[in-house]
Amino acid sequence: MTTNYCLLSSRNCLKETDKVIHSVEYFAPSCQMKRKRMEQAERSVLVSCNSRTTEKKFLKYLSRHGDIKKHFFYESYGIYAVVEFANRESITSLLERAAIPHNSPNQQFGQQCQPQTTPPINELIQRLSKEESIDQQIISLTEAYQLTEENSRLRFLVCSLLKDIAAAYFPECTIRPFGSSVNGFGKLGCDLDMFLDLDGISGRNLKMPKSGLSLEYQMKRANSERAVTQSILSVIGECVEQFGAGCVGVQKILNARCPLVRFAHQPSGFQCDLTANNRVAMKSTELLYLYGELDQRVRCLVFTVRCWARAHGITSSIPGAWITNFSLTVMVLFFLQKRSPPIIPTLDQLRDLAGPADKSVIEGNDCTFVSDFSKIPLHSNTETLEELLHGFFEFYSTFAFSRMSINIRKGKEQNKPEVAPLHIQNPFETSLNVSKNVNATQLDRFVALCQESAWLFQQIETNTPRGLGGNDTSTPWGLASILLPLNVAGVKSRKKKRHEPASERIKSLLESLKNKNHQKKS
């Protein structure tokens, strides 16, 4: 019997039941990681597996083409496998004879798949309730939410697919992931932001001689760089829609401040955004990666605050007046800069430590900061994760949002330059407010939730963790308790109606949970 195989690339199409996708992993914030990812990806393929193919037969067939170094399975509109060979030649051999034999219809593909999304909030609360300390709860949450190596590999695979399509028009182009996919703060299931880089094309940055003969490419002229970006993305968007295997729901959003092509990539399950002129965002990615590497508490606190915010509807996947994850991340960084002693340096301090090779000015914006971690002096702040999380809620419970702006470049509050409920200065494009979309109602909800969470932390600081002494582990405590619903929806009338603080309602909820558990035991 013959089946259908389709290479998810614009270069080839084969015939056979499982789809093979050639992969080239490309960008990572550090040069060492970049080389590692590139080497891995050049030896890797992504295979859509027939449900009747057993893992044993699957690996036995692929092993004919060379030694397999690593493989894993995941689920997204079917079962997929990522396979890394020991040598690149194995990829060529596989694609020349891509035909996996079928087994009997009664056999099922029983390999356990790697999770590609975060656990449901109720499952997370149960998991956290079993930990022995709040610090361990925060670490456990981070481990459950952060990107796995397997998920990271998938993101580079999608970049490879897009590069294959774009290379039909720009043979030497590169497509790089940026944002949460590579800055160290991405959670499982987050969107994949990609950047079409044309600077590597031969002759693009070549300086013309002052005299004598020279050659240059003949190109069409355009009115502006923005017009060129829009044209490039329009063409690539059309190609993705027509020829991008597994790419659905393609939207060309060309009149946005930063033009982009948006689509869903079904084989990976990612929502994707492709831009072509967003270099400041690339520098922001590198800056966040640097901050996350300076102190492990940075990432843990960001993941925890983001999870808390999503659990209470402060952030949303739907565009609107909500606070964004990027704004929350900057707020956490600012808070850590304000500790005594500071946990991380300000952006201006990182700029002052930069060497000549670090200098970067993009469209008139100073994006310079040191890239050598060894040059960055750190203070000996010994605060625990529990103390920092409580401190975050206390800090923003009383922050003067009506008058002051958040600024991680200076590391201190500044008078608002514009009328907006929440003002967070863009670290590089300093004239922009990254939280301009946030309205007063959403900011009030954020402050109210900070107040209630800070109050709850005060109540639980002396509580014995439920996992100790043989106590019941099903009752939420510590971090788990502040992920429970906090009823502060009626913020608009908070000043007029103060009959029952939300803290009292939460206290009653916790008491009722204890009583129920006691009754079950009885």
Side-chain angles (χ1 to χ4, degrees):
M1 294 177 62
T2 59
T3 52
N4 279 331
Y5 245 160
C6 187
L7 185 70
L8 295 192
S9 163
S10 58
R11 299 176 190 158
N12 299 288
C13 191
L14 310 176
K15 293 280 182 183
E16 287 272 82
T17 312
D18 306 70
K19 303 168 188 169
V20 178
I21 312 158
H22 183 61
S23 130
V24 178
E25 299 202 31
Y26 221 91
F27 169 82
S30 68
C31 293
Q32 184 178 2
M33 181 59 71
K34 176 181 177 180
R35 287 193 296 270
K36 178 182 176 182
R37 290 295 188 209
M38 290 175 64
E39 290 170 0
Q40 289 174 343
E42 288 171 354
R43 303 189 300 265
S44 300
V45 289
L46 174 60
V47 184
S48 175
C49 304
N50 188 310
S51 62
R52 295 171 295 181
T53 303
T54 63
E55 180 185 8
K56 183 178 179 180
K57 287 246 180 172
F58 174 79
L59 294 177
K60 182 179 179 180
Y61 171 77
L62 294 182
S63 297
R64 298 175 188 171
H65 302 277
D67 293 335
I68 295 175
K69 192 172 183 180
K70 181 180 175 64
H71 75 280
F72 64 90
F73 300 88
Y74 72 96
E75 189 170 3
S76 174
Y77 298 93
I79 304 296
Y80 289 82
V82 174
V83 181
E84 178 191 348
F85 287 96
N87 298 291
R88 292 181 61 182
E89 291 75 15
S90 300
I91 303 294
T92 303
S93 173
L94 174 66
L95 296 181
E96 286 176 351
R97 302 188 63 180
I100 298 177
H102 277 214
N103 301 306
S104 64
N106 294 326
Q107 291 180 305
Q108 297 296 316
F109 201 88
Q111 175 63 27
Q112 184 177 2
C113 296
Q114 295 289 332
Q116 301 301 320
T117 57
T118 55
I121 189 66
N122 58 334
E123 181 182 318
L124 177 67
I125 289 174
Q126 291 178 2
R127 182 186 305 184
L128 299 183
S129 299
K130 298 176 183 178
E131 298 295 346
E132 298 182 352
S133 69
I134 293 178
D135 275 43
Q136 191 56 48
Q137 287 181 328
I138 294 174
I139 293 171
S140 179
L141 183 150
T142 303
E143 291 173 348
Y145 269 54
Q146 66 188 357
L147 296 182
T148 61
E149 178 187 353
E150 292 82 5
N151 193 270
S152 178
R153 287 177 179 237
L154 287 179
R155 292 171 186 274
F156 283 91
L157 285 171
V158 177
C159 291
S160 170
L161 165 64
L162 265 292
K163 180 190 173 184
D164 286 344
I165 294 174
Y169 292 90
F170 308 102
E172 298 173 275
C173 73
T174 301
I175 290 186
R176 305 179 176 185
F178 70 95
S180 55
S181 293
V182 287
N183 65 18
F185 296 98
K187 75 168 187 175
L188 288 170
C190 68
D191 293 349
L192 172 57
D193 296 315
M194 295 173 285
F195 172 75
L196 174 64
D197 188 356
L198 302 177
D199 279 359
I201 295 177
S202 300
R204 172 126 182 154
N205 297 313
L206 188 67
K207 293 183 178 179
M208 302 303 295
K210 294 182 179 179
S211 60
L213 298 176
S214 65
L215 291 173
E216 66 176 13
Y217 289 108
Q218 184 175 0
M219 303 175 66
K220 282 191 173 182
R221 302 299 175 184
N223 295 329
S224 65
E225 186 173 359
R226 177 179 173 82
V228 173
T229 299
Q230 290 172 321
S231 297
I232 291 172
L233 289 177
S234 179
V235 171
I236 293 179
E238 189 67 26
C239 290
V240 169
E241 186 170 23
Q242 298 296 329
F243 308 113
C247 299
V248 298
V250 179
Q251 303 176 61
K252 294 183 283 186
I253 309 173
L254 304 179
N255 292 323
R257 177 176 171 271
C258 182
L260 59 93
V261 174
R262 176 168 294 164
F263 62 94
H265 183 248
Q266 287 187 331
S268 65
F270 298 141
Q271 293 293 322
C272 306
D273 285 348
L274 174 67
T275 62
N277 187 21
N278 200 7
R279 295 200 167 275
V280 174
M282 298 289 286
K283 294 300 291 185
S284 294
T285 298
E286 295 174 18
L287 177 65
L288 292 183
Y289 178 81
L290 183 149
Y291 275 133
E293 287 292 300
L294 290 180
D295 192 303
Q296 64 178 359
R297 291 172 293 179
V298 178
R299 286 198 180 109
C300 287
L301 195 60
V302 168
F303 274 108
T304 303
V305 170
R306 283 184 174 185
C307 177
W308 166 83
R310 178 54 66 92
H312 298 302
I314 295 172
T315 59
S316 175
S317 58
I318 304 172
W322 295 275
I323 298 175
T324 65
N325 278 330
F326 180 71
S327 293
L328 275 178
T329 302
V330 175
M331 293 173 81
V332 172
L333 297 178
F334 182 74
F335 162 73
L336 295 176
Q337 290 173 341
K338 296 287 290 183
R339 303 311 286 167
S340 181
I343 292 178
I344 56 174
T346 67
L347 180 51
D348 276 353
Q349 291 170 338
L350 294 176
R351 180 199 59 196
D352 295 340
L353 294 169
D358 297 320
K359 185 174 179 60
S360 175
V361 178
I362 301 173
E363 298 174 1
N365 300 299
D366 185 5
C367 301
T368 302
F369 57 89
V370 64
S371 58
D372 186 350
F373 287 29
S374 65
K375 294 181 179 179
I376 305 174
L378 297 176
H379 298 283
S380 56
N381 183 300
T382 58
E383 289 179 282
T384 65
L385 287 168
E386 176 183 349
E387 291 169 337
L388 290 173
L389 183 58
H390 186 197
F392 175 88
F393 294 134
E394 292 280 8
F395 182 80
Y396 285 110
S397 292
T398 58
F399 189 83
F401 287 108
S402 61
R403 297 183 293 104
M404 309 306 290
S405 170
I406 294 171
N407 184 343
I408 65 168
R409 179 169 282 279
K410 302 293 182 185
K412 61 183 180 181
E413 301 92 338
Q414 292 187 312
N415 291 326
K416 278 186 181 181
E418 63 182 46
V419 178
L422 176 60
H423 191 281
I424 302 175
Q425 186 187 77
N426 187 303
F428 296 122
E429 298 176 282
T430 55
S431 63
L432 299 180
N433 173 14
V434 301
S435 56
K436 191 174 183 179
N437 62 301
V438 179
N439 61 26
T441 300
Q442 294 302 319
L443 178 60
D444 283 346
R445 286 195 73 251
F446 170 77
V447 173
L449 285 162
C450 283
Q451 293 169 349
E452 296 304 320
S453 298
W455 181 90
L456 275 172
F457 256 94
Q458 291 174 345
Q459 309 310 306
I460 63 176
E461 280 176 349
T462 57
N463 285 359
T464 302
R466 307 300 189 267
L468 295 181
N471 291 335
D472 181 32
T473 60
S474 61
T475 303
W477 74 279
L479 174 58
S481 67
I482 67 169
L483 297 180
L484 291 170
L486 298 176
N487 188 10
V488 294
V491 171
K492 290 183 179 179
S493 58
R494 260 193 315 126
K495 297 180 180 179
K496 298 179 181 178
K497 187 177 181 179
R498 296 178 179 267
H499 299 312
E500 184 186 8
S503 54
E504 293 298 324
R505 291 190 293 272
I506 294 301
K507 188 175 181 180
S508 299
L509 176 60
L510 292 175
E511 288 297 330
S512 66
L513 287 171
K514 291 179 183 177
N515 293 334
K516 286 181 180 179
N517 289 323
H518 180 71
Q519 291 172 3
K520 288 180 180 179
K521 288 182 178 179
S522 300

